[in-house]
Amino acid sequence: MHSLSNFTFTRVLNEDPILKTLTLLGTVPVTTAATTATTEGEEVAATVVSTTGDQNKEVQPVILLIEKTHFATQSSENDITRRISELLSTGSNDIYHWWNAIILEGKAHDPDLKMTVISPATEAHISKYSRQDRKMITETAEIYHKAILPWIESQPKSRIQWVYNILEGLKEQDNILLRDNDPDTGFIVLPDSKWDKRTLSSLYLLAISMRSDIRSLRDLKPDHLPMLKNVRDKIMTLVPLRFPGVASDEVRMFVHYHPSYYHFHVHVTHVSAQVPGSTVGQSHLLDTIIDNIETIDPDYYRKASIRFALGVNHPVYSLIQGFQSASQ
């Protein structure tokens, strides 16, 4: 999918006025090569029919993740005020004046929007990106091993094929900032798709482990400490060298639980970056993870009850609720 010319709007899935994001669901015509596409291990049947005039055509669902970009660094050559075509006054008081502004069309080096397209999108994608209530819920070790782990193990490998495409050198190789091919302690680092690749205060990188036997925080044990420390130490060296202006004590590394995909990875951000999932209830600092395993209990994450925030559409939420109901 290389343009939006054939995109037909269906509905708004979600919007966030704080993060300045908008998530849209729509459809595009199915190409001959994609009549039965498979994504994340789930078949997307091209059976949705759209009627336009007298013609029926097969279409497939598409999700657009749209985000307003940060302003580029201001200079005489790149002055945002030069792109303001109209000012609309909303009030004034003494020395203070408030306006809404209409901006002229942006340039390639200073785009106004950043977009991610998921095509074709499955029902799981639609559920994930739809507006939903979030709840705090506790996952005990018993719940994890009896209810959650079997579900994780049932997920097809194809669901994270995009991860293996990167690790195996098939995709996104131009984005790789660091590659350590050691099968036990190695990992790759690349920019997260949510970063605009220019604003250092919102720096967001992703470190993906070469190991396929670590699905989440729950799998970590002492044997994995060399890998965890290798990730920490090399990233602390990489970031200040690759991104001058970001000091090592401005680098934050954390792991999500539950993660969005079950292959171990570490999120790397500027300490000031306001990114989804960086708050209490989802993120676990890498240094704290290392310390818990090294000094508190080697089986800390296999034994711990973990409390976290989760959307009610997430399968894990239903699994925990179901286990708790059956145990009563």
Side-chain angles (χ1 to χ4, degrees):
M1 182 172 175
H2 301 289
S3 78
L4 297 178
S5 59
N6 292 322
F7 177 83
T8 300
F9 172 81
T10 302
R11 69 177 189 270
V12 174
L13 293 180
N14 202 358
E15 56 184 327
D16 190 322
I18 303 300
L19 296 176
K20 302 295 190 296
T21 59
L22 176 67
T23 305
L24 304 179
L25 175 66
T27 60
V28 296
V30 175
T31 61
T32 302
T35 53
T36 53
T38 300
T39 180
E40 290 197 357
E42 299 176 60
E43 187 176 273
V44 181
T47 56
V48 183
V49 177
S50 174
T51 303
T52 304
D54 296 326
Q55 294 182 334
N56 290 338
K57 60 182 179 181
E58 289 184 317
V59 296
Q60 65 187 23
V62 171
I63 292 175
L64 301 184
L65 307 173
I66 306 172
E67 176 185 355
K68 287 189 176 180
T69 57
H70 184 77
F71 292 115
T73 301
Q74 297 298 290
S75 66
S76 58
E77 294 78 22
N78 186 31
D79 182 357
I80 187 63
T81 62
R82 295 183 180 181
R83 291 178 52 202
I84 297 175
S85 64
E86 187 174 356
L87 292 175
L88 307 173
S89 176
T90 60
S92 64
N93 186 347
D94 193 30
I95 63 173
Y96 302 100
H97 308 268
W98 301 283
W99 293 325
N100 288 331
I102 297 175
I103 303 295
L104 294 172
E105 183 178 350
K107 299 179 180 178
H109 68 275
D110 186 19
D112 296 316
L113 301 174
K114 183 169 71 68
M115 300 178 62
T116 299
V117 179
I118 302 175
S119 175
T122 65
E123 285 299 325
H125 286 120
I126 295 171
S127 177
K128 174 182 176 180
Y129 288 105
S130 294
R131 182 188 301 277
Q132 58 186 297
D133 292 334
R134 293 174 65 81
K135 306 288 185 181
M136 293 299 298
I137 194 165
T138 299
E139 178 191 276
T140 64
E142 180 186 20
I143 291 175
Y144 172 75
H145 290 290
K146 292 184 177 180
I148 308 303
L149 182 57
W151 172 77
I152 294 174
E153 292 177 335
S154 73
Q155 304 304 301
K157 186 177 179 180
S158 58
R159 176 164 285 195
I160 55 171
Q161 183 58 46
W162 68 271
V163 174
Y164 296 112
N165 287 344
I166 296 173
L167 295 177
E168 294 168 8
L170 303 176
K171 296 287 185 179
E172 300 190 51
Q173 296 310 289
D174 291 343
N175 290 330
I176 301 296
L177 303 175
L178 183 152
R179 176 180 284 274
D180 181 337
N181 287 319
D182 188 284
D184 295 321
T185 64
F187 62 100
I188 61 98
V189 178
L190 73 167
D192 189 277
S193 61
K194 291 182 283 295
W195 186 38
D196 63 11
K197 297 184 181 181
R198 65 183 186 184
T199 311
L200 293 183
S201 61
S202 62
L203 176 75
Y204 197 162
L205 310 177
L206 201 61
I208 305 176
S209 173
M210 289 291 179
R211 302 183 64 136
S212 60
D213 60 334
I214 309 174
R215 292 155 296 200
S216 75
L217 202 62
R218 288 287 193 183
D219 290 328
L220 293 174
K221 53 189 178 181
D223 290 349
H224 301 133
L225 286 172
M227 182 271 292
L228 297 174
K229 292 179 179 180
N230 189 41
V231 170
R232 179 191 62 189
D233 296 345
K234 286 187 175 177
I235 287 177
M236 292 292 276
T237 300
L238 168 73
V239 171
L241 291 175
R242 191 63 184 259
F243 304 102
V246 182
S248 59
D249 59 0
E250 294 176 312
V251 178
R252 174 177 53 185
M253 287 177 269
F254 58 90
V255 174
H256 284 156
Y257 193 77
H258 275 264
S260 56
Y261 55 94
Y262 292 92
H263 180 104
F264 188 74
H265 57 283
V266 176
H267 299 262
V268 182
T269 74
H270 191 286
V271 69
S272 299
Q274 301 297 314
V275 298
S278 62
T279 57
V280 172
Q282 189 172 2
S283 65
H284 300 254
L285 291 173
L286 181 59
D287 279 319
T288 301
I289 293 170
I290 292 171
D291 189 60
N292 285 340
I293 298 171
E294 195 167 43
T295 66
I296 296 179
D297 189 326
D299 291 324
Y300 183 91
Y301 289 103
R302 295 175 62 85
K303 297 177 179 178
S305 290
I306 303 177
R307 189 164 176 80
F308 46 82
L310 200 62
V312 297
N313 292 348
H314 198 295
V316 169
Y317 182 82
S318 298
L319 289 169
I320 293 176
Q321 292 285 81
F323 185 91
Q324 291 173 334
S325 297
S327 300
Q328 293 177 351

